Amino acid sequence: MEPLKVGLIGLGTVASGVAAVLTKNSREITRRITRTPIIEKVFVRSLERDNPYNLDLTTSIADITDNPDIDVVIELIGGIEPALTYIKTALNNGKSVITANKELIALHGNELLQLAQEKGVFLRFEASVAGGLPILKLLREGLAANEIDTVMGIINGTSNYILTEMSHKGVNFDQCLKEAQAHGYAEADPTFDIKGIDAAHKLTILAATAFGTPLNFEDMHIEGIDTITAEDIAITQAEGYTIKHLGIARKSKQGIELRVHPTLLAKEHQLAQVDGVLNGVYVVGNAVGEQFYSGRGAGSEATASAVIADLIEIIHNNDCRHSAPALGFLEENLQSIPTLPTKSFSSRYYLAFNYLNEITGESIAEALKTVLLEAGVTAEKIKVYDQYQQVILFLEKTVQENVENIINNAMLIKGIEDSKFIRVE
């Protein structure tokens, strides 16, 4: 049996996991395929580093991308450049590519997929979303008989860990972020995680795969978790809700909603029970109904599992030619569906208004009822929390434009000094 030779770009956490899983599960992997994968070479920035698996290291990228002996290139360095250049070179040289690089796929995936198609090779990126959870393969193959109308998930472990700790311990955001960094769950610069950018990259890929559309990061609405306070957590918990940071892609006759933001979920919702660094994805298809999947969204071997699954698929398809396209639809069948503007987002809404000491909560609540009446929007509940100097409202389903008008008018009420809204699913 002729081996399939792999070139690794990078030897960080995930790449080391690939070497580990290929080594410890070699017998089982070989049983599944017709060619045994071996790591032929690994590109690193310096040869002065640990090499526990005695891999053949090189500091020349051409030893990977231009090497005629290498069949598949696995890019695991992250970021845009030089990863984009390396991948383009490999594809142009007729090599299939696997990557876990969600930022690169979200921003440049369309052109890379077109290049891969032109060269007759594969571009696969299962590990770019939800780590070891095989959600992309499930969407493009397992649920291929369905029209998907909703994909909603917890797809950033750092944000989920922070919100979980805030909920369980009743402490503020800054303290939980420091704890996450101390445990290695958050980067020294956590911006991509806590501002929602990482989740938005992943949702871009999920939405394109679910709906059969080109990748579209530019139209994504993005909010982070750094505005969530301990008071928000305490009040919403008292009302029977959990705050989670969700990526939501929803299709309707009007278009597609693409949004990443903190969300209130009833405590019994399956996603509300996904805690810590775990990921969870909720899918609605018109044949299967509601589906829920949860698992490890990061980590060396969990992510490596997805990378190697892509490798196994490529090995199968070089022989059998039976693979689904990377986004589940042939490129010529992808449809550009309008993305709805933020003001058209339809949801239930939670509103909170902070008021001054010298004003009573009851007077604020009465004034807010007048604002709602004028807006033609109904509140399911209006409640005063004197201990936090807040009046909270739960609105029936409406569009965000109405919510923004309500808040603008409410801020004219004497005594209200601040406001906030969170969507409810």
Side-chain angles (χ1 to χ4, degrees), residues 353-415:
F353 295 94
N354 289 85
Y355 55 87
L356 299 172
N357 274 329
E358 59 268 22
I359 306 295
T360 66
E362 287 72 18
S363 66
I364 296 294
E366 289 302 315
L368 287 170
K369 289 178 183 178
T370 301
V371 171
L372 291 175
L373 186 63
E374 293 172 350
V377 175
T378 303
E380 299 172 355
K381 175 184 282 190
I382 301 177
K383 187 172 180 179
V384 177
Y385 277 85
D386 281 323
Q387 65 270 44
Y388 299 113
Q389 290 180 231
Q390 288 192 29
V391 177
I392 61 118
L393 295 77
F394 283 93
L395 303 184
E396 290 186 349
K397 193 171 185 179
T398 187
V399 294
Q400 186 162 317
E401 183 175 23
N402 291 337
V403 175
E404 292 172 355
N405 289 335
I406 289 168
I407 289 176
N408 289 338
N409 290 328
M411 293 304 296
L412 300 176
I413 297 171
K414 184 180 178 180

Side-chain angles (χ1 to χ4, degrees), residues 200-216:
H201 289 149
K202 295 170 183 174
L203 185 65
T204 299
I205 300 168
L206 278 173
T209 309
F211 304 144
T213 61
L215 294 150
N216 180 14

